[in-house]
Amino acid sequence: MQVLFKISRQQQQSAVKVQTYSLDVDPSTTILDCLNLIKWQQDGSLAFRKNCRNTICGSCSMRINHRAALACQQNVKAEVARSYSAWNKQNGADSDRENPDSIPVIEIAPMGNMPVIKDLVVEMDQFWQKLDQVEPYVSSASRQVPEREFLQSPEDRSKLDQMGNCILCGACYSDCNALPANGSFVGPHALAKAHRLLADTRDQATEHRLEQYNQDIQGVWGCTRCFNCNTVCPMGVAPLDQISKIKSQVLANPTLPDSRPLRHRRVLVDLVQEGGWIDERKFGLKVVGNNFKDLPGLFSLVPLAGQMLRRQKLPIKFDASTGTDEVRGLIEAVKKRQSKTASQSESTR
């Protein structure tokens, strides 16, 4: 099977150029093996990372057909099918119609949200630094038990399985939509590891961790819930799910310092529970103005309120939505379930 590989090539601080290579390979050949063939037989200057070739080390993470993936995990057949599907969707063709190009194309590029060193090799220093910010190790106090091993039951250990599958390949970090707009966000990889520590019965720093992860848009509130991290994760860690679990623990903890993101979540739910939808008049005052306690926040609302008044977008009165009782019942049921789950989790620690 003949395939064209369009590879983005780049040196530090230089413009990107796309170079095309043609290979005749078996459809089951992995993308990493194809890159090896290109390097060994056509262009020895092509740079990319690799190691285990068995989806264990995460070294060969790159963008394949516009999304982060492991080159050792993806094969030619699947990627050609993906290319056809993308072309059909773009051109409104039937799903069983093939790309009119006589030779299928697979596009390869370096991971996103990281500076390029050369070709498909990226600088990952910031990736590791942000992981370190969440203190991804069991608290030292928990390890100070010299008279015995600090063992866990099989049930407690099983709670860590999903997060423990993370191989730190950088795929979720590469395709995270929040990072380009918010450089302080620690990233989905770090927060997935963060939840592993919160779920670990040996760790004794839960309060400190929740306070740390609750910090403005640096922690869990920086996530835009774009779902990209779940989509590209090659190991099924589902970072967004872990971030949501941390948020649930933060919201259930009344001792944490108040913050605007925390008020945003709580006020939104309270207003919907009260009237079926959000009363915009109260929302700004409660969240940004902190119930008239945050004067700079209140003054920041004045220009927006003026624009809304001029455009008749500021509601004079608020009418509850139809079905408010049903909405209220759903919210109350979810809160009871979350409270029960939190109590069970606390009793097992």
Side-chain angles (χ1 to χ4, degrees):
M1 179 181 187
Q2 192 172 11
V3 183
L4 293 180
F5 284 83
K6 291 189 175 181
I7 303 178
S8 296
R9 306 203 59 183
Q10 183 180 3
Q11 300 278 359
Q12 281 184 314
Q13 307 300 324
S14 67
V16 180
K17 65 176 182 179
V18 177
Q19 197 159 347
T20 302
Y21 302 91
S22 177
L23 283 180
D24 191 2
V25 293
D26 186 275
S28 64
T29 307
T30 66
I31 302 302
L32 180 58
D33 283 339
C34 291
L35 291 174
N36 281 332
L37 289 173
I38 292 171
K39 185 174 182 67
W40 295 338
Q41 299 177 3
Q42 300 186 33
D43 190 342
S45 68
L46 178 63
F48 54 92
R49 287 192 175 112
K50 62 177 181 178
N51 193 9
C52 74
R53 302 194 301 175
N54 198 33
T55 68
I56 294 175
C57 69
S59 299
C60 63
S61 186
M62 58 189 69
R63 274 184 168 162
I64 305 172
N65 284 334
H66 309 287
R67 98 285 181 204
L70 295 179
C72 68
Q73 189 179 49
Q74 308 304 316
N75 62 40
V76 169
K77 182 179 179 180
E79 291 306 323
V80 168
R82 185 183 295 273
S83 296
Y84 285 156
S85 176
W87 183 89
N88 290 332
K89 184 176 181 180
Q90 182 179 355
N91 292 275
D94 296 333
S95 59
D96 58 350
R97 180 182 172 186
E98 291 190 351
N99 190 319
D101 293 339
S102 58
I103 303 177
V105 174
I106 296 175
E107 298 182 36
I108 311 289
M111 288 193 289
N113 293 324
M114 304 179 216
V116 175
I117 297 176
K118 182 183 179 184
D119 298 339
L120 306 177
V121 179
V122 295
E123 174 59 70
M124 298 185 71
D125 280 359
Q126 193 174 64
F127 174 87
W128 299 115
Q129 290 165 6
K130 292 194 173 186
L131 176 64
D132 189 55
Q133 288 179 31
V134 303
E135 301 174 13
Y137 38 80
V138 176
S139 63
S140 57
S142 297
R143 296 198 299 269
Q144 293 172 2
V145 189
E147 68 276 11
R148 65 177 177 86
E149 290 182 272
F150 209 151
L151 302 178
Q152 286 184 295
S153 68
E155 293 77 14
D156 286 338
R157 178 59 185 82
S158 67
K159 298 175 184 177
L160 313 179
D161 288 348
Q162 185 176 20
M163 293 84 76
N165 286 335
C166 177
I167 57 175
L168 294 171
C169 63
C172 63
Y173 190 92
S174 163
D175 285 20
C176 175
N177 277 337
L179 284 163
N182 174 19
S184 65
F185 180 48
V186 293
H189 70 303
L191 291 172
K193 289 291 185 182
H195 184 253
R196 185 214 176 282
L197 274 300
L198 290 175
D200 196 320
T201 55
R202 300 167 297 177
D203 191 79
Q204 296 178 345
T206 299
E207 292 297 319
H208 164 71
R209 294 186 188 281
L210 287 177
E211 185 173 347
Q212 181 184 10
Y213 307 153
N214 182 42
Q215 290 179 6
D216 198 30
I217 56 175
Q218 175 183 335
V220 292
W221 305 112
C223 172
T224 61
R225 297 185 60 84
C226 68
F227 212 78
N228 281 355
C229 56
N230 277 20
T231 301
V232 301
C233 177
M235 305 305 294
V237 176
L240 177 59
D241 294 8
Q242 313 315 324
I243 294 171
S244 297
K245 291 173 185 175
I246 299 176
K247 287 181 178 179
S248 296
Q249 288 184 257
V250 168
L251 290 165
N253 191 320
T255 65
L256 291 176
D258 186 39
S259 65
R260 185 176 292 183
L262 205 53
R263 290 197 302 272
H264 186 284
R265 178 68 175 266
R266 287 173 173 163
V267 169
L268 185 147
V269 174
D270 290 345
L271 290 179
V272 172
Q273 183 175 1
E274 178 184 326
W277 50 37
I278 300 172
D279 183 346
E280 294 93 339
R281 303 168 305 171
K282 294 181 180 179
F283 189 76
L285 294 176
K286 288 177 177 289
V287 176
V288 182
N290 194 14
N291 291 304
F292 298 96
K293 297 175 186 176
D294 185 347
L295 293 180
L298 280 173
F299 284 121
S300 72
L301 291 172
V302 173
L304 176 61
Q307 293 178 28
M308 294 177 70
L309 281 171
R310 286 195 301 272
R311 299 180 184 182
Q312 299 181 345
K313 297 290 185 179
L314 188 66
I316 304 302
K317 63 177 183 176
F318 177 81
D319 296 321
S321 69
T322 57
T324 298
D325 290 339
E326 289 83 356
V327 172
R328 188 177 294 123
L330 287 170
I331 293 176
E332 289 173 352
V334 170
K335 285 184 175 180
K336 287 180 181 178
R337 183 168 182 175
Q338 288 177 335
S339 177
K340 182 179 179 181
T341 302
S343 299
Q344 292 174 343
S345 176
E346 185 64 28
S347 65
T348 59
R349 292 186 69 87

